[in-house]
Structure formats: structure tokens, C-alpha cells
Amino acid sequence: MIKIRGEAKVAYVDGQACEFEEGETILSLVDRLHGRGHIPTLCDAPQLESYGACRVCSVEIAQSENGSRRVVAACHTPLTESLHVFLESDRVQRLRRNIVELVLTDHPLDCLTCEVNGNCELQTVAAKVGMRSVRYPEGKHHMDREKDLSHPYMTSDLSKCINCSRCVRACDEVQGQFVLSMFGRGFESRIIKGLDTSFANSDCVSCGACAQACPTSAISDIFRSKSIEPTAKTRTVCTYCGVGCNLEVSTKNNEVQSIQAPVDAEVNHAHTCLKGRYAFRFYNHPERLRSPLIRRKGEFVEVSWDEAYETIVDRFREIRSKWGADAIAGISSARCTNEENYLMQKFIRAVIGTNNIDCCARVCHAPTAWGMQQSFGTGAATNSTSDLEKTELILIVGANPTHGHPVTGARIKQRVMKGVPLIVIDPREIELVPYAQYHLQLRPGTNVALLNMFAYFIIEAGLVDESFVNERCEDFEIFREKIKQLDIDELERVTGVDRKLVREAAIAYASVSRAMSFHGLGVTEHSQGSKTVMLISNLAMMTGNIGREGVGVNPLRGQNNVQGAADMGVQPHQGAGYLNVTLPEIQEYYEKSYGVSVSTDIGYKIPQMFDAAKEKKLKSLWIIGEDVVQSDPNSADVIKAMTSLDFLVVQEIFMTETAEYADVILPATSFLEKSGTFTSAERRVQRVNAVVEPLKGTKVDGQIIVDVMNRMGYKQEDYDPAVLLREISEVVPFFKGIRWSELGENGKQWPVVEDGTDTKILHKETFKRGRGKFHFWDWVESQEIEKNSEEYPFILTTGRILEHYNSGTMTRRTGNRVICGEDILAINPRDAADKGIETGDYVRLFSSRGEVQLHAKVSGEVKPGILYTTFHFPEHLVNNVTSEEKDEESLCPEYKVSAVDFEKVLRDNEEMNIKEGAERMKETTSSVDG
Ligand code: SF4
């Protein structure tokens, strides 16, 4: 008997007894027994729900071996106890052949020149059912269908369409975009985009799910992703956001051809966003840095690696001996692997001798790490994204997942469309708002006030999980008393959100038995960012939403490996494994591991590095993969810091705004050219595998660090992720059981104990810190508003757009730029009317720090008084305008609240046009007059 685990019933497949799970279909059982493709199908795909349209998967069933048989579609017929299934009877074989024959009557038989020849599912199925010839006259409908090559990525040739609806269902069930639909009836049926427009003019978000689902070449992409041409396929992990999507990369002659999403990837199940699937051509872009550069007489000149290394080592040694180790600092990269980040912090701590090490978490989720550590003891997501399948309510605070974390965003959208209530707390009407039950559209900077109201109404409604709080938490009574004393009238006024709405949403959150929260930079990038994180933790604890499936506090971490960078000790107060560097016993622990003495003084955080540089206390900085001039607030001030340094090393893949100020530039490699591990937002440590060789002239970041370590006299083996992971497992307690060879395709979620068992849910029995701690914080107005709002009465809040990633260094060098090529300012219609601005007008946006000019979009997505834009384009440098205020605890910049004003301006060419027009008008008028 073929057995399965757990409770099972028995059915018979071609006479063989097989156990099946309740609800399992015939097709899923046979796929499990014999592998996919044993029963031919056309409309079925593993990433889609059963559809039962094509009937190619027809089988016969009977209640007994010799009972009367009937034909059913295997894909959507559930098994029942003692059912007999006959897979290959004459009747079903004839039926399958006839169906495929009818499909082929109206399909071009140009297989040899088709892009998917050899990988076409129709071709495979036709061969499997034994098709040799088509008896019917050729249909003409496919001939009328033109190719659509309008889009930078997506293509269609609907002459190849077999009307299986897989693309339509992928767009609906995977992405939730509803761009594709089946139009017409009978022979006239065809796929349309939007209201029968092109890909380029539709609302397509280029996720490629339709192209991957299409069994033929009817829908494809410019990379011909389903072609069999490539010679090798390598599995790796996306380099953009913290979702951690797995990618299957096809290569030929050491060049990337295309990327698909593995169906068995636990994180992304055959799905990606357009960044992961299509935005890869930056990796061999002509502008890639291909040689070390040294600035001489104001110009960069190409030098050998040896010369670059010698310069770096000489200058570091000189600065250290003259000014001490604390005059040197490093900024490591969340784009780099865990192993590289571990090496960089080790270099700064063990070789230079300071704790001056930090990374971009400082400008995104440092408040999450700090805040959650105060509440729970661990600064990482408590649950797994797959818990979305179990939760009964989703709370999103200050995040725009469909743009920032698109695969998780799509998953949230799917759950909400299936009836899971959604609460959105955000100043902007983000894409998920129309799906939400509650949108609490607060004024930027008032998260603490709103979440305190939320807690107030939960307490008032008697919905606190008293037993959870009593058994597992501390300081709740202090918190409760403080919350009860709040002035709700005042909080309603400052947030601008109707208390009734807050009350209803709070009661909805506290009334379900499983509520899951997600938060993003709209929480952390505030002066009260860390406090807001602790309040979100409070909400989870007071409702018992911790330590189980479908609950928890789940930060949507920004960059692909920002979680890993922090885990590896890329922060100035905690070393690898979040151990407190100031404690003598920890100092001893690291000294034993690194074999040298280490400092117990807390190092500089990034903003402190900039201040120290301007004060001439910090003399040298080594920045890896971080464009601080573009991505940190108040660009002019960051430039001042860069130019104040005696010696700046920038390790990058492109010349960036920051690299322009470097003394030495080291050409590094992208994720496609190296191996290591990334840790995703759900603590999942996954293997990143080199797909192509590093571009000539470049080096793997980890090897560069090792080279400098060795030249500075510290013996470190050449970069090898397997060896380094072993070393990390000896230093980082929650990596104890992680081995390169045992990570498998889907990785492991830390903590991983010695025997290799990983952890999907944190804080199940007790919190990492023992008891979960409640903190009360009063809302205070941002200093930015206090100081500047009279002169600059509007609040600017910034964020990311789907097509681009942060400073856009990579995405701006791909087809994504064609889809979105500039930062745009969203203005409420009322404010736009007051200033005489229409969509498309050019606007000067200014603050006390500086100004930028952007095109306007008049939009109800923001309330009156609020403006919104992205910060992806150095041409605009939006961070010229943003505030210098910071989170009080972590020093994360307050990007989300900048006091600004704006006015309509004319661009130079528009002014020219108007001047020319006026001249022409004058000429015409005078000639008429004459
Ligand atoms: Fe990459 Fe994030 Fe998109 Fe997944 S959702 S493909 S990890 S950018």
C-alpha cells in the first residue's frame, strides 16, 4: 500500500490501494504517486486552484472494481473511501486524444520555430496522448490575433492561446490584479488585457505569473523565459526585498537568460514581483564598475587591486596609529550575504579594534529590532508569512506591502479577498485600502496616539486576554492605568481619525482568536518609531496574539538581508548574535572567537558617524553597497560628512552619488555572481548560489574584505560560505545548527538548534526575555512639526514604489525605468486647487533643508495637508528636503514627517516654449496689424 502520514483513507488507483488525505483530489494523489505529468493536463497548474475546464485529465471512476464507471476530471474530483480510479482505460485515452485534437485544430503548427519548442505543455500533452495527426480542417480564429510587444517585459502572441485560462487565473489567484480576462463566446473566445488594450496600457504589474502559468507561448516575456535554450538552471534568492523569494535562473555561456519562480519554493510558490523576475539586467550593465579606482588630483584613475589594497591598508594603519581605532568606521550592506556581513563586522571589531559598524537597518528597521527586543527579547518577526493561511484578521500598520513587499502583499490581498478582515493604519490610501474593512488614515507622526486609542478601546471593551497577560507578561497594570487616563478627545484631534472607527477596528482586532500584525517603515521612520513598535507588541500581548500559528508581530523587513546583517552583528552596540558588546563576559566570548582583543565601547551609529566626520573625530569610513548620499536624509548634510573625511572607501557595483566622494572605489559583485546566505524577514536563512562568474575586474565582496584583513595582518581564510557558516554557527547562538550542506532548497528559520531543527514560531511557551514587557508611551508631536510647521505648513511623507528599490542603483538600470522613470509628488485635490496645480505640472517642493522639483499627481490618496513622494531618482534627490529628526532610541531618521511647502514652477523648456509662443504670437499679431 502507498502510505501517507497522519489520518488517511484508502482508494484504489488502477487496482493499487493508496492512502489519501481528506479533501485530496485524484490528480493530486496520482501526482504524488507517479510524479506530475503522469495524468496529462492542460488547464491545471500546481500554483493554481483546480479548474476542470480542459478535461484532458479525465479518468474513469467506480465505487468497486467491477462497478459501473463514469468519466470525471481528475483535477477537481475529490477522492472518497474505497473509490476505484482507472487512469488509462480506452475510453479516457480516446477522449483525451480527441480533446487535444480539437485544441490543435485552431493552433498554429509552427512548433519548430516557436519560442517554447521542447518546453511547450501542449506539445508534451499531445505526444503523451498519442496525437499523430489532426483529422479536422484548420480553424482560422488564431490567425486574426496580433502579437502584443508594447510592454518593456510582457509579450503576448494569442495565436498560440488554447483558452485554458491559466493566465487569467494566475493574474486573479496569484497576483490579484485582475488584468486578464476571457472575452467573447465559443469560437470567438479570447484573452483580453484590461478593457481589451495592450499590456503597456493595462494595469499589469509585470509580476510574470501569467507568463509562467501559460502552457504555450501565448503569454511570455522579452526574456523568452520558457525557452529551453539555456544550458543551466541555478536556484538562488532575490536580492531586492526581505520577502526572500526563491529564483530559478537560466544561464547560457555565463550570461543570465531569464528568471522563473520555483513552484516548490515555500516562500513564493511560483510567484515573484517584477523586480525579482525581470529586473536583473543591471548585473552586466555597461556602467558596472570593473576596476578599482583611486582619486588622484580630483580624477578617478584605474589601478590594480594590489595598489588599491595597499592604499587602503596604509591609510587605515596611518589613521589608526595617529587617531586611534575609533577614528575608523564601516557601513556594511544589507545587499551582501550573511557571511560577508559577518566578515565586515569582524574586520571592524577584530582587525581595526572598534565597534564603529552599522548598516542600512539604521535608516529602516533599527527601531523594530530595538523595540521588539524591549518587549519580547528578540528583535525579529515572531511568525512565518505562511501563517497568513491561519489568521482570522490582518492588521497592517505603516506599510504598503503590495509595493514594498509585493509577494507578501499579493498573499495578503488573496487572504482578504477570501474574507479575512483587514485593518490598515496608514496616512495614505495604499493599494490594499479598497479591500480593507477599516482604514485609519491618521496624520503622519501620530502612530503612538492612534495605537494608544486602539489599546484604550480594547481595555474599555473588556477584550484583554487576562490569562495570557497574567501568566506571560509584566507591567500590564501600569500600562492599563496609564491608558485609561488618556484624553481620547485630544488623541482623536491629533490623529484626525474618528474615534468610532478606531473603536470598531480595535474591537475587531481583539475579538478574533488569531490576529496577525505586519508593520513597515511607516512605523519605524518616525521620532517615536521604537515606541510605536513597542505599542504594536503591546497590542499583540494584551490580546494573546503571540506564540501560536496565525498571530504575532511581523515586521516587513526592507532589504533582502537586513535581518541577516543585524543578526551578524552589523550594529555598534551588539556583536554577532545580538550580544551586548559592553559586557566583559561578552568581550571575553568574542575575544576567544576572534583570537584578538575587542572593544567594549559602543560604536557610532550611522548618523553619529556623519556628525563625528563633520567634527573631525571620524577620519575614515569604508562603505559597502550603500548610497548614503541619496538614501539618507538631508543629502547636503551627508555630502558635508563625506567631504569632511580624510579617507573614504566605497565598495560598489556602480558609481553612485556617494562613490563620487570616495578616495578609493572597489568594484564589487552582485548577488548573481556570488554564494552565501540571506536571511529573510521571517528569519529564514536561505542559500544564495552564484549563477555566473564575477564580471572581469570585479571581486566578491567577502573576498575583498578577507584580502584587506589578511593584508592588515589578521589571518582569515579565503571567502567560502560553507566554512564561514561553520564559524558563524560557533559564534551566533541561534545559528548553532545551521550547516551549508543542510539548508536545502527552502532554508531554515532561526533559531536552529544543534540537531538542525528550526523554528517557525517564536515565544511559544515563554518570551526570549522571560516575560513579555508592556511599555506605556505618551504621544509627543515631532520636533520637525514643532519647529517648522508655521513656515512649512505641509507634511511630506515618503515611500517606495513597486518598480524601484530604494536609491534605484539597480532597478534604474533595467526595464523598470521604462515603466516608472521619475519620482512624482502626490497632492490632495484641495491643496492642488488652492495652488493652481494640475496633474503633470512641475512643482518646486521645499523645506528648511533644500528643494527639489517634481511632477505633480493630483490624487485623493493623501489627505489635505499631506504630500507623498518616492526617493528613487538621483536626478531629483528628494532627500534634499527630508527631515533630520530621528527616532529617539535607535536614531532612525524620521523620513515620514518633513515640514515642507510647494509651488507650481515652469521648467526651463516649458518657459522656452511659452517665450517662443509669445514671440510667435507677437510676430503674427504685428504682421496682421501691418
Ligand atoms: Fe524579490 Fe521581494 Fe519581489 Fe520577492 S517580493 S521577487 S523578494 S523584490
Side-chain angles (χ1 to χ4, degrees):
M1 183 184 298
I2 307 293
K3 285 188 170 286
I4 62 164
R5 279 175 294 148
E7 289 240 336
K9 296 178 175 179
V10 173
Y12 299 88
V13 176
D14 287 336
Q16 183 183 16
C18 309
E19 287 188 354
F20 65 91
E21 282 172 343
E22 186 68 41
E24 191 169 15
T25 63
I26 296 172
L27 182 63
S28 123
L29 172 70
V30 175
D31 282 355
R32 188 157 56 74
L33 294 181
H34 301 295
R36 192 161 170 82
H38 190 78
I39 298 182
T41 65
L42 281 177
C43 73
D44 188 75
Q47 67 270 40
L48 303 176
E49 288 174 15
S50 304
Y51 194 51
C54 74
R55 321 305 280 189
V56 173
C57 66
S58 291
V59 293
E60 284 190 318
I61 58 169
Q63 289 311 319
S64 63
E65 194 173 356
N66 298 314
S68 66
R69 297 182 181 189
R70 66 193 173 94
V71 175
V72 295
C75 68
H76 72 160
T77 304
L79 289 151
T80 53
E81 182 74 51
S82 303
L83 188 76
H84 284 256
V85 182
F86 304 95
L87 303 182
E88 299 294 336
S89 69
D90 285 350
R91 184 154 67 139
V92 297
Q93 289 197 43
R94 270 200 317 278
L95 177 61
R96 288 173 189 165
R97 248 194 322 272
N98 205 8
I99 293 169
V100 175
E101 189 177 9
L102 286 167
V103 169
L104 289 173
T105 55
D106 210 354
H107 186 86
L109 298 177
D110 57 356
C111 298
L112 291 182
T113 55
C114 179
E115 75 175 66
V116 295
N117 184 29
N119 198 25
C120 169
E121 290 184 45
L122 177 59
Q123 208 176 38
T124 309
V125 167
K128 181 157 178 82
V129 300
M131 283 296 307
R132 293 290 173 267
S133 60
V134 177
R135 292 168 293 165
Y136 307 113
E138 188 185 4
K140 301 282 180 232
H141 296 90
H142 69 273
M143 296 178 183
D144 308 332
R145 297 173 185 167
E146 285 179 3
K147 288 186 183 175
D148 176 3
L149 304 175
S150 61
H151 192 275
Y153 294 129
M154 309 306 304
T155 63
S156 74
D157 176 2
L158 295 176
S159 70
K160 308 282 172 66
C161 177
I162 59 169
N163 286 7
C164 65
S165 282
R166 272 161 63 162
C167 60
V168 178
R169 287 147 57 213
C171 193
D172 299 355
E173 294 170 18
V174 177
Q175 178 59 34
Q177 202 64 16
F178 303 96
V179 168
L180 302 171
S181 50
M182 187 66 79
F183 180 77
R185 292 195 172 260
F187 285 119
E188 305 298 330
S189 306
R190 65 191 169 91
I191 299 294
I192 59 167
K193 299 141 201 158
L195 296 174
D196 204 2
T197 183
S198 64
F199 262 129
N201 290 325
S202 73
D203 291 336
C204 173
V205 290
S206 332
C207 71
C210 56
Q212 181 158 343
C214 173
T216 69
S217 60
I219 295 199
S220 185
D221 53 57
I222 60 157
F223 303 111
R224 299 159 66 94
S225 300
K226 290 176 286 185
S227 151
I228 55 161
E229 278 170 33
T231 53
K233 286 186 194 297
T234 310
R235 184 142 163 176
T236 192
V237 179
C238 177
T239 189
Y240 288 107
C241 85
V243 175
C245 292
N246 286 208
L247 308 176
E248 187 178 73
V249 186
S250 297
T251 50
K252 189 178 170 188
N253 301 333
N254 199 37
E255 272 208 21
V256 176
Q257 303 293 299
S258 64
I259 295 180
Q260 291 281 62
V263 173
D264 67 345
E266 285 176 17
V267 174
N268 51 311
H269 308 284
H271 191 208
T272 65
C273 72
L274 83 165
K275 295 191 285 285
R277 195 189 294 265
Y278 295 135
F280 61 85
R281 282 218 168 136
F282 69 87
Y283 92 91
N284 60 354
H285 192 278
E287 288 168 11
R288 270 286 297 272
L289 294 166
R290 289 162 201 256
S291 165
L293 302 170
I294 290 186
R295 183 189 295 279
R296 289 200 179 121
K297 294 188 188 146
E299 299 288 322
F300 284 115
V301 292
E302 291 190 2
V303 295
S304 67
W305 276 98
D306 277 339
E307 194 175 345
Y309 284 151
E310 269 164 33
T311 307
I312 291 170
V313 169
D314 287 350
R315 294 302 311 274
F316 279 166
R317 281 201 174 124
E318 182 196 328
I319 290 167
R320 189 174 54 181
S321 75
K322 207 160 159 196
W323 306 100
D326 290 338
I328 300 173
I331 297 179
S332 194
S333 175
R335 281 272 178 269
C336 287
T337 63
N338 284 324
E339 296 71 22
E340 291 168 334
N341 277 291
Y342 172 79
L343 281 171
M344 183 60 179
Q345 66 86 34
K346 187 176 174 185
F347 168 75
I348 290 289
R349 291 194 161 105
V351 182
I352 297 293
T354 172
N355 283 308
N356 288 341
I357 178 76
D358 210 353
C359 74
C360 70
R362 190 61 50 210
V363 293
C364 66
H365 270 287
T368 291
W370 198 83
M372 288 179 74
Q373 279 182 22
Q374 306 313 303
S375 299
F376 304 149
T378 303
T382 62
N383 285 61
S384 307
T385 317
S386 58
D387 280 15
L388 277 166
E389 306 305 319
K390 304 275 164 51
T391 196
E392 293 166 22
L393 181 139
I394 301 164
L395 169 66
I396 298 177
V397 192
N400 183 10
T402 52
H403 282 245
H405 303 82
V407 165
T408 300
R411 211 160 167 179
I412 290 172
K413 199 196 261 188
Q414 291 296 334
R415 295 301 298 148
V416 175
M417 287 192 295
K418 288 194 168 83
V420 177
L422 170 68
I423 301 169
V424 174
I425 301 179
D426 201 284
R428 220 160 55 89
E429 193 171 316
I430 59 167
E431 187 184 335
L432 285 171
V433 163
Y435 301 85
Q437 209 151 346
Y438 303 99
H439 178 205
L440 311 182
Q441 196 171 10
L442 74 178
R443 175 166 71 86
T446 61
N447 283 331
V448 167
L450 193 121
L451 293 176
N452 276 344
M453 279 170 96
F454 217 84
Y456 178 95
F457 289 122
I458 292 172
I459 291 169
E460 185 196 62
L463 289 170
V464 173
D465 185 338
E466 302 285 350
S467 64
F468 184 91
V469 165
N470 290 334
E471 283 163 26
R472 299 205 39 197
C473 307
E474 64 189 33
D475 293 347
F476 178 68
E477 287 312 323
I478 304 168
F479 174 72
R480 179 165 17 210
E481 282 317 303
K482 293 276 192 192
I483 289 285
K484 279 164 123 179
Q485 289 161 21
L486 289 172
D487 179 349
I488 295 295
D489 291 340
E490 172 68 358
L491 299 186
E492 186 178 34
R493 190 188 63 75
V494 298
T495 58
V497 185
D498 185 335
R499 72 173 70 190
K500 282 198 228 93
L501 200 61
V502 181
R503 184 169 189 277
E504 277 178 35
I507 289 175
Y509 172 80
S511 300
V512 296
S513 67
R514 291 166 194 270
M516 201 169 178
S517 79
F518 293 88
H519 71 264
L521 306 184
V523 163
T524 56
E525 290 175 346
H526 285 279
S527 55
Q528 289 193 295
S530 297
K531 290 174 177 164
T532 309
V533 171
M534 285 182 252
L535 294 182
I536 293 171
S537 306
N538 286 353
L539 293 181
M541 288 190 289
M542 68 197 283
T543 53
N545 278 309
I546 287 289
R548 295 177 288 129
E549 277 186 327
V551 302
V553 177
N554 300 282
L556 292 162
R557 301 301 300 253
Q559 306 226 38
N560 56 322
N561 199 33
V562 70
Q563 178 70 56
D567 298 345
M568 293 302 107
V570 176
Q571 43 191 351
H573 62 301
Q574 292 172 326
Y578 298 105
L579 306 179
N580 184 341
V581 295
T582 62
L583 301 176
E585 63 270 27
I586 299 301
Q587 182 185 33
E588 205 179 306
Y589 179 82
Y590 286 132
E591 284 179 356
K592 229 160 112 194
S593 306
Y594 303 152
V596 291
S597 63
V598 294
S599 167
T600 50
D601 296 335
I602 292 178
Y604 293 132
K605 299 180 173 98
I606 289 176
Q608 293 169 326
M609 291 179 192
F610 298 159
D611 289 343
K614 286 180 288 174
E615 291 161 16
K616 290 285 178 192
K617 284 192 223 149
L618 185 72
K619 303 287 181 186
S620 181
L621 187 53
W622 181 356
I623 303 179
I624 301 180
E626 183 75 11
D627 189 0
V628 291
V629 169
Q630 199 191 332
S631 54
D632 284 44
N634 195 351
S635 306
D637 203 55
V638 180
I639 291 169
K640 210 180 287 168
M642 296 299 110
T643 52
S644 303
L645 291 163
D646 286 358
F647 184 57
L648 173 62
V649 180
V650 172
Q651 188 167 316
E652 257 300 351
I653 57 173
F654 290 105
M655 181 59 89
T656 61
E657 300 303 302
T658 306
E660 297 283 356
Y661 299 95
D663 296 287
V664 178
I665 300 176
L666 301 172
T669 43
S670 71
F671 80 115
L672 291 164
E673 299 151 274
K674 62 183 165 189
S675 298
T677 55
F678 289 159
T679 305
S680 74
E682 55 174 8
R683 298 171 276 105
R684 190 184 290 265
V685 182
Q686 302 189 98
R687 273 196 309 227
V688 177
N689 295 302
V691 166
V692 288
E693 294 292 317
L695 287 193
K696 195 160 176 280
T698 68
K699 276 182 193 265
V700 168
D701 297 76
Q703 188 57 47
I704 299 172
I705 302 165
V706 167
D707 290 345
V708 176
M709 286 171 101
N710 281 314
R711 281 165 189 260
M712 291 212 51
Y714 186 92
K715 200 160 166 21
Q716 181 72 40
E717 273 184 68
D718 276 352
Y719 182 76
D720 177 340
V723 174
L724 275 163
L725 210 46
R726 188 85 205 195
E727 180 177 334
I728 292 166
S729 73
E730 281 159 18
V731 179
V732 175
F734 48 86
F735 266 54
K736 211 170 202 56
I738 294 187
R739 300 283 175 275
W740 177 261
S741 57
E742 292 166 17
L743 279 173
E745 300 283 37
N746 285 297
K748 292 189 176 189
Q749 288 171 273
W750 67 250
V752 181
V753 294
E754 201 143 17
D755 69 3
T757 308
D758 72 345
T759 311
K760 297 223 171 306
I761 300 169
L762 297 182
H763 318 301
K764 266 184 162 168
E765 308 295 333
T766 57
F767 286 94
K768 177 78 196 319
R769 67 181 297 284
R771 282 180 164 262
K773 187 173 171 62
F774 279 87
H775 299 84
F776 173 80
W777 306 108
D778 245 334
W779 171 77
V780 289
E781 183 70 275
S782 161
Q783 282 301 298
E784 167 72 0
I785 300 299
E786 292 280 359
K787 286 191 269 186
N788 296 320
S789 63
E790 257 179 46
E791 204 177 335
Y792 303 95
F794 290 86
I795 299 178
L796 173 74
T797 187
T798 61
R800 295 200 300 257
I801 196 165
L802 170 69
E803 288 79 8
H804 291 287
Y805 208 87
N806 284 3
S807 57
T809 307
M810 300 189 298
T811 50
R812 283 186 282 105
R813 291 178 170 97
T814 67
N816 290 26
R817 191 179 182 119
V818 180
I819 302 172
C820 172
E822 61 180 324
D823 295 313
I824 288 180
L825 186 69
I827 308 168
N828 180 273
R830 203 178 79 189
D831 297 332
D834 286 350
K835 299 212 178 220
I837 291 169
E838 291 176 8
T839 293
D841 282 347
Y842 219 45
V843 164
R844 185 173 82 93
L845 175 73
F846 52 99
S847 72
S848 60
R849 273 88 39 187
E851 66 172 64
V852 292
Q853 297 197 357
L854 304 168
H855 276 117
K857 176 176 80 169
V858 179
S859 163
E861 74 190 67
V862 285
K863 280 179 161 181
I866 313 298
L867 303 169
Y868 171 78
T869 189
T870 52
F871 53 91
H872 303 302
F873 293 89
E875 303 86 293
H876 305 313
L877 218 54
V878 166
N879 281 322
N880 272 326
V881 175
T882 47
S883 164
E884 291 162 297
E885 294 300 324
K886 298 173 190 71
D887 173 46
E888 296 148 8
E889 280 76 23
S890 67
L891 302 190
C892 177
E894 192 174 37
Y895 291 103
K896 302 295 181 186
V897 183
S898 298
V900 297
D901 202 349
F902 66 105
E903 64 184 4
K904 182 172 169 174
V905 288
L906 298 176
R907 290 170 92 177
D908 288 350
N909 58 352
E910 283 168 344
E911 277 174 4
M912 287 291 291
N913 287 344
I914 288 169
K915 270 186 205 151
E916 279 170 19
E919 288 301 316
R920 273 200 303 277
M921 186 98 78
K922 241 196 253 166
E923 282 165 22
T924 322
T925 317
S926 52
S927 67
V928 170
D929 286 345

